[in-house]
C-alpha cells in the first residue's frame, strides 16, 4: 500500500530554518494535492501549505513569506522550506496527499506519521 514518510523535523532556535521532506512510496499511479499541515498541542490540525489540483499553491497567512512548498514529481516527493521560524511554529507537521493507485481507481487521502518541529531558545 501507499506510505507517506516525513523527515527533517527537529529543534531550532527562533529565526532559524528547517527543511521538511515527504516521500510517497508504493503503487502510485497518480498523486495530487500534496501538502503540509500542522497541529500544536491543544489545537486543531490546520493547513500550512499545499499544491492545489490546478498546480497553484496555498499558504496559511501565518507562514506566507516565510515558508515555501516545492515538489519533485519524478520522485513523488515534496518539501517544506521553513525560514524565520517562530516559537508559534512549534507543532507536529504532517504531509498529506491524494493518491490513485491505478487508472480509473479511487482517489484515497493519505497522511504521513508526523514529524516534530520545536522552535525554542
Amino acid at each position: 500500500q501507499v506510505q507517506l514518510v516525513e523527515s527533517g523535523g527537529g529543534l531550532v532556535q527562533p529565526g532559524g530554518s528547517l527543511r521538511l521532506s515527504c516521500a510517497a512510496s508504493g503503487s502510485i499511479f497518480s498523486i495530487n494535492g500534496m501538502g503540509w499541515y500542522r497541529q500544536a498541542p491543544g489545537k486543531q490540525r490546520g493547513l500550512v501549505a499545499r499544491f492545489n489540483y490546478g498546480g497553484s499553491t496555498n499558504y496559511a497567512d501565518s507562514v506566507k513569506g516565510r515558508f515555501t512548498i516545492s515538489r519533485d514529481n519524478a520522485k513523488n516527493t515534496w518539501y517544506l522550506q521553513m525560514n524565520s521560524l517562530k516559537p508559534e511554529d512549534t507543532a507536529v507537521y504532517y504531509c498529506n496527499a491524494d493518491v490513485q493507485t491505478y487508472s480509473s481507481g479511487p482517489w484515497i487521502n493519505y497522511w504521513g506519521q508526523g514529524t516534530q518541529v520545536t522552535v525554542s531558545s
Side-chain angles (χ1 to χ4, degrees):
Q1 73 180 29
V2 175
Q3 290 187 340
L4 273 57
V5 179
E6 301 107 329
S7 61
L11 175 65
V12 64
Q13 293 188 344
S17 298
L18 285 173
R19 184 176 185 252
L20 306 183
S21 299
C22 184
S25 62
S27 299
I28 301 172
F29 177 78
S30 187
I31 186 167
N32 219 327
M34 300 88 85
W36 293 93
Y37 298 75
R38 68 186 181 186
Q39 187 167 22
K43 307 294 184 181
Q44 293 183 339
R45 188 175 301 186
L47 172 72
V48 177
R50 71 182 178 198
F51 285 98
N52 298 318
Y53 276 62
S56 62
T57 54
N58 282 347
Y59 292 93
D61 288 342
S62 58
V63 308
K64 190 175 182 179
R66 300 188 297 122
F67 292 9
T68 303
I69 188 171
S70 61
R71 64 186 177 186
D72 185 336
N73 289 328
K75 296 180 179 179
N76 291 326
T77 300
W78 57 106
Y79 310 91
L80 185 69
Q81 179 66 46
M82 304 185 292
N83 298 327
S84 302
L85 283 161
K86 304 175 180 179
E88 51 262 44
D89 295 318
T90 296
V92 177
Y93 284 70
Y94 300 88
C95 60
N96 177 267
D98 294 329
V99 177
Q100 190 179 42
T101 60
Y102 58 94
S103 182
S104 300
W107 287 88
I108 301 174
N109 188 254
Y110 289 89
W111 290 95
Q113 82 284 357
T115 185
Q116 177 71 47
V117 172
T118 302
V119 184
S120 177
S121 59

